[in-house]
Amino acid sequence: MADLHEAAEPLLFGFAPPVAIVSAAMAVFIAILVWKKVPALLSGMLDKQIRTIREQLDEARALRAEAEQLRADYAARIASAEKNAEAMIEHARQEAELIVARAVEATADMITRREKMAADKITAAEHAAVADLRQRAVTAATNAATSLIATRHGAEADRALVDQAISGLAN
């Protein structure tokens, strides 16, 4: 086996040449970037992006606040509409109850009036029947009395009755 010896590499500024060349190239590249103001340009672009993003965030916040306000307005309108609907239903219920109460009262009044009218008609019919019956009784009694007087009394009997009535008046 052969002994392998490492060969010493030459040094450039105290560094190995590949490392020194890469380091020098990087230093030159960075110097050119700084000289051309690339970091300021990059920072300006980033600042512009940051401003754009902030504006978009502010606009989104404003839109969100507006949306929340609209939602609150619509929720209030819905609540108000529900209250109005409940009030309308309650008012309609009260009116219906009032109408039913009035109808019941009117029906009771009508029944009372009709009962009174019927009672008055019955009373009037009873009075008419009683008056008719009395008239018939009077007519029958008159006819009977006329018939009796005509058959049982003559001129002599009439004189005796008249004399008796006159003597009763004198006393």
Side-chain angles (χ1 to χ4, degrees), residues 42-59:
L42 288 175
S43 121
M45 289 173 57
L46 289 175
D47 287 344
K48 184 179 177 184
Q49 281 291 70
I50 289 171
R51 275 194 305 275
T52 304
I53 290 170
R54 280 190 181 145
E55 288 172 0
Q56 289 175 351
L57 285 173
D58 290 341
E59 184 178 342

Side-chain angles (χ1 to χ4, degrees), residues 13 28 44 50 62 70 86 92 96 98 104 111 119-120 122 124 139 166 169:
F13 302 114
V28 170
I50 289 171
L70 284 173
E86 288 176 10
L98 183 61
V104 166
I111 289 171
D120 291 345
I122 290 170
T139 303
I166 291 174
L169 289 174

Side-chain angles (χ1 to χ4, degrees), residues 62-145:
L63 288 173
R64 180 179 179 172
E66 184 179 340
E68 287 177 358
Q69 181 63 36
L70 284 173
R71 185 186 59 81
D73 288 346
Y74 282 117
R77 286 182 186 176
I78 288 170
S80 175
E82 287 175 353
K83 286 180 183 177
N84 288 342
E86 288 176 10
M88 289 170 62
I89 289 170
E90 183 60 31
H91 181 70
R93 184 176 293 121
Q94 289 174 352
E95 283 185 4
E97 289 173 358
L98 183 61
I99 289 170
V100 168
R102 286 181 183 167
V104 166
E105 184 179 324
T107 303
D109 289 345
M110 185 184 307
I111 289 171
T112 303
R113 282 194 309 270
R114 294 232 173 140
E115 285 176 348
K116 186 175 182 323
M117 287 171 51
D120 291 345
K121 283 183 181 180
I122 290 170
T123 303
E126 287 175 352
H127 288 302
V130 168
D132 185 45
L133 188 58
R134 283 185 183 161
Q135 183 61 38
R136 286 183 183 185
V138 167
T139 303
T142 303
N143 289 341

